[in-house]
Amino acid sequence: VTIAQEIDHALWQERLLILIAPSAEDPEVVQQKQALRDAADAVAERRLRVIELYSDPGSDDATQLPPERQHAIRQGLGVDFGARELVLVGLDGGIKRRAPLVTPLREILQQIDGMPMRRQEIEDRRRAGIPVTTP
């Protein structure tokens, strides 16, 4: 599976947030994953799926992809082996942001909320009387 295939699978269904680090135990990963847990409702509402890519094959985090899929995605993104970054992929499959792994989740969620398709989702939810979570 390549990054293109991973993105094609998510196309128009969900946004992707790809966390890239040497290991699942990396302090920046731990911090970002805690922020994602703390904002679980906002993450779910934005249809944001998290993909974790670790350089250390010894990481035993059950949520990470198999090594061969990680390698293909890493190659497709042009990510260095020891990189610490995040990549946001929109519903349309386009890369919307490449940023340091420590980028506050609030900034990512605000960026998503500014996207045209998300603005339409917000409007549709409001018209239907469904509350909208804010970052």
Side-chain angles (χ1 to χ4, degrees):
V1 174
T2 65
I3 185 61
Q5 290 168 320
E6 196 71 38
I7 290 172
D8 283 349
H9 177 71
L11 199 61
W12 307 117
Q13 301 303 311
E14 55 194 353
R15 296 167 180 95
L16 303 176
L17 182 63
I18 305 170
L19 304 180
I20 303 160
S23 77
E25 295 79 28
D26 185 290
E28 294 176 14
V29 171
V30 172
Q31 178 183 350
Q32 196 63 263
K33 288 173 67 175
Q34 183 61 52
L36 287 159
R37 281 190 295 275
D38 291 346
D41 289 344
V43 168
E45 181 180 313
R46 287 160 182 81
R47 296 185 285 155
L48 185 61
R49 179 167 54 111
V50 178
I51 296 176
E52 301 170 38
L53 301 180
Y54 303 124
S55 306
D56 176 11
S59 288
D60 61 354
D61 189 321
T63 62
Q64 73 181 19
L65 298 172
E68 62 279 357
R69 285 181 67 194
Q70 288 191 50
H71 180 70
I73 292 170
R74 186 181 297 280
Q75 278 189 314
L77 290 172
V79 176
D80 291 334
F81 191 71
R84 282 182 178 85
E85 67 180 278
L86 59 80
V87 177
L88 175 63
V89 179
L91 287 175
D92 63 359
I95 293 177
K96 305 303 181 187
R97 182 179 202 149
R98 290 182 86 118
L101 189 56
V102 295
T103 301
L105 180 61
R106 180 180 178 90
E107 285 182 25
I108 303 298
L109 297 178
Q110 287 174 335
Q111 181 176 354
I112 291 169
D113 285 353
M115 295 176 180
M117 284 183 259
R118 175 64 183 152
R119 287 196 313 262
Q120 185 61 53
E121 291 170 7
I122 291 169
E123 183 59 32
D124 292 347
R125 288 178 71 92
R126 287 190 173 138
R127 268 195 229 120
I130 301 170
V132 176
T133 60
T134 56

